[in-house]
Amino acid sequence: MNKLLDVENLTLQFDTDEGRITAVDNVSFDLEAGEVMGLVGESGSGKSVTAKSLMKLNARNAVYSDETGVKLHLESGEIEIMSLNTSAEMQVVRGGAISMIFQEPMASFAPAISIGDQMVEQLMIHTDMNKKQSKQLSIEMLERVGISDAATRFNQYAFELSGGMRQRAMIAMALSTKPKLLIADEPTTALDVTIQAQVIDLMKDLVEEFGMGIIFITHDLGVVAQTADKVAVMYLGRIVEQGTVRDVIRRPAHPYTKGLLAALPRLDDLDSPLVPIPGDIPSPLERPPGCVFSTRCGVAIEGRCTVDVPKFVELGDGHRVACHLPLAELTGS
Ligand code: SF4
């Protein structure tokens, strides 16, 4: 597989009335073409802000550190996203090389413009197709995502479609320009389970067909286990564990990842109690010193975890964990 994306030392702060707050802290990961990476964590962990940084889509008060590097490797050459400034420069990336789909499709579609007109407009901006070709491809894409009577739906407005259909229409629009990287932000959370499974299957098929890379943002490790090749677990703006799905889900090492997995319902043992992680993720304004998880960690080491920021420990095959616990305790060996 070919390298598609390199994110290095991504650090993002926001200037607010309460001062400058850190939303993403020194995050690094990479992605190959045809690979799916799950970005996992609770609300407030920094997943969406991280993903939006890949398109510089964050609000105007966002401040990226000088060390931040986000490199997109395309056949036509490399693009350093952080060095793009004008909207013309950004247009190559936004909706072109990178597409994003959101949890709530109503946020992506303009309410007063038909689905079809929005799809055609995007294609005419990002490809050299004419209007007729754009319309034809848009209808084809709506059919591809399983929307029946696509030619009629093409002329409808977002509010006229059911939730599942809107989600699929958004995926069709996001994929019609054949992006190299698709960022899917909680794309199935608002859907019922049957539609959720269909959307996941569809995305897997499309990865194979188009060889694109996908970053799949979710709070649900179960969905990641079904869809992703590798996973990064985030907490309060930091990656605390990353590796292949097999390693992170079968052999979780970080206390937070273990907590997320213990909180999942078990279909093989419906009587087993759900064990939620105690407490809430702190506000970025009250970021704990040392390990960001220390305020909720049941195995924190006194005098160390609240003082020192843990460095990554390599466990092999790209599996790494940021925790002060001794190796034997992390790996359970
Ligand atoms: Fe818990 Fe300490 Fe590990 Fe953080 S570094 S997860 S507080 S043991």
Side-chain angles (χ1 to χ4, degrees):
M1 282 195 274
N2 300 322
K3 179 68 78 70
L4 176 64
L5 177 74
D6 267 314
V7 177
E8 275 178 41
N9 309 317
L10 169 61
T11 297
L12 168 61
Q13 296 177 305
F14 288 103
D15 279 332
T16 72
D17 291 342
E18 282 83 26
R20 194 169 268 197
I21 58 167
T22 301
V24 183
D25 187 9
N26 214 10
V27 158
S28 299
F29 60 85
D30 58 26
L31 190 74
E32 313 259 320
E35 200 172 39
V36 180
M37 186 181 98
L39 205 50
V40 185
E42 295 162 283
S43 299
S45 58
K47 316 177 294 279
S48 296
V49 182
T50 299
K52 283 183 183 161
S53 302
L54 309 182
M55 296 165 82
K56 271 181 120 180
L57 267 184
N58 286 305
R60 280 168 188 267
N61 59 343
V63 183
Y64 295 93
S65 74
D66 292 343
E67 289 72 38
T68 297
V70 179
K71 205 174 277 175
L72 193 62
H73 305 267
L74 301 176
E75 276 161 23
S76 52
E78 282 180 1
I79 299 179
E80 176 48 73
I81 306 280
M82 288 298 134
S83 66
L84 305 179
N85 289 313
T86 65
S87 45
E89 287 173 339
M90 287 309 308
Q91 211 172 66
V92 178
V93 175
R94 292 180 188 160
I98 308 179
S99 273
M100 188 156 181
I101 52 179
F102 300 91
Q103 178 178 349
E104 185 29 81
M106 281 309 268
S108 297
F109 288 117
I113 306 174
S114 71
I115 300 271
D117 280 352
Q118 293 180 63
M119 292 181 78
V120 166
E121 187 188 345
Q122 181 175 278
L123 280 168
M124 289 180 67
I125 291 172
H126 292 290
T127 69
D128 48 14
M129 283 185 213
N130 62 29
K131 200 167 179 183
K132 192 172 168 208
Q133 292 165 325
S134 300
K135 179 175 178 183
Q136 194 179 346
L137 178 63
S138 299
I139 293 174
E140 260 172 52
M141 287 306 295
L142 290 172
E143 282 167 354
R144 285 291 322 275
V145 299
I147 292 181
S148 54
D149 200 4
T152 305
R153 301 292 181 196
F154 176 88
N155 291 313
Q156 289 185 320
Y157 297 88
F159 69 85
E160 294 180 274
L161 308 186
S162 67
M165 217 181 266
R166 271 202 298 268
Q167 194 76 7
R168 292 192 222 189
M170 183 171 57
I171 292 174
M173 181 157 89
L175 294 175
S176 61
T177 54
K178 297 206 170 72
K180 297 295 172 203
L181 173 63
L182 177 70
I183 302 169
D185 191 355
E186 306 264 7
T188 59
T189 308
L191 303 177
D192 69 50
V193 270
T194 323
I195 309 277
Q196 192 172 4
Q198 284 175 13
V199 169
I200 288 172
D201 282 346
L202 168 73
M203 286 176 55
K204 282 187 189 163
D205 286 351
L206 295 167
V207 169
E208 239 169 74
E209 188 179 328
F210 296 153
M212 70 179 72
I214 295 191
I215 295 179
F216 196 103
I217 301 170
T218 178
H219 60 274
D220 186 343
L221 270 171
V223 171
V224 165
Q226 273 181 294
T227 42
D229 302 299
K230 62 186 187 184
V231 57
V233 181
M234 287 193 75
Y235 189 83
L236 210 56
R238 281 196 200 137
I239 290 181
V240 295
E241 181 163 7
Q242 60 195 138
T244 62
V245 162
R246 182 184 299 202
D247 280 342
V248 174
I249 295 205
R250 292 216 189 127
R251 290 185 285 277
H254 196 280
Y256 179 56
T257 317
K258 288 178 183 168
L260 285 178
L261 284 163
L264 282 179
R266 287 186 49 187
L267 285 178
D268 59 337
D269 183 3
L270 291 173
D271 293 328
S272 69
L274 297 183
V275 193
I277 302 172
D280 292 312
I281 194 162
S283 146
L285 287 167
E286 289 154 12
R287 211 179 157 73
C291 172
V292 280
F293 188 55
S294 58
T295 54
R296 298 170 75 190
C297 181
V299 290
I301 306 164
E302 221 185 305
R304 177 141 195 229
C305 293
T306 52
V307 178
D308 297 334
V309 176
K311 293 199 169 63
F312 274 108
V313 178
E314 303 288 338
L315 303 179
D317 196 22
H319 187 190
R320 37 193 228 142
V321 56
C323 179
H324 290 308
L325 289 177
L327 194 59
E329 247 175 90
L330 290 172
T331 57
S333 55

